[in-house]
Amino acid sequence: MHEMHIASAIAEAAIANAGGAKIRRISIDVGDAFGHSAESLARAVGLALEARGAAGVSIETNRIRSKARCVCGDEREIGRPFEPCPDCGSLAREITAGKDCALRTVEVKEA
């Protein structure tokens, strides 16, 4: 699993944000152009949390649509990271959104 390093960082951030409380649920934003599927990342985060004593955490993923800006000035949502610009056909496009993942929320169990 190539995403285990990223999953470990997300698990560590979730645990730190929980401040010692038991985590009930986390949500993660995952961009379409991130490079790993949301499902595989969620599985890896679950394993990383379990390895740190936080088993049973519900993991929600939120899809972040990718956007790209072309050298011709066009900027729009894209379906695939390397598709040509629909206006000019150029492949010289910069992905401006949806290439990352981020921990969005950490919900803890009430005492």
Side-chain angles (χ1 to χ4, degrees):
M1 286 188 168
H2 298 294
E3 58 275 358
M4 280 309 293
H5 179 72
I6 296 163
S8 293
I10 291 171
E12 291 291 337
I15 291 167
N17 279 286
K22 196 164 179 89
I23 302 171
R24 187 165 90 81
R25 177 184 358 222
I26 65 170
S27 68
I28 306 166
D29 290 343
V30 183
D32 283 344
F34 173 57
H36 299 286
S37 75
E39 295 80 17
S40 66
L41 182 61
R43 255 191 319 277
V45 170
L47 291 172
L49 286 166
E50 284 180 30
R52 289 160 176 78
V57 175
S58 174
I59 301 169
E60 174 186 298
T61 58
N62 307 302
R63 179 183 182 196
I64 304 300
R65 299 287 304 198
S66 296
K67 290 184 181 179
R69 181 179 326 120
C70 182
V71 294
C72 74
D74 179 70
E75 184 168 8
R76 65 178 74 204
E77 284 187 354
I78 57 172
R80 295 182 315 252
F82 302 107
E83 63 186 24
C85 174
D87 282 356
C88 72
S90 174
L91 290 172
R93 301 174 82 190
E94 175 188 4
I95 298 174
T96 58
K99 61 184 174 183
D100 301 315
C101 73
L103 177 64
R104 175 165 295 273
T105 61
V106 177
E107 188 177 314
V108 296
K109 295 181 180 178
E110 293 187 29

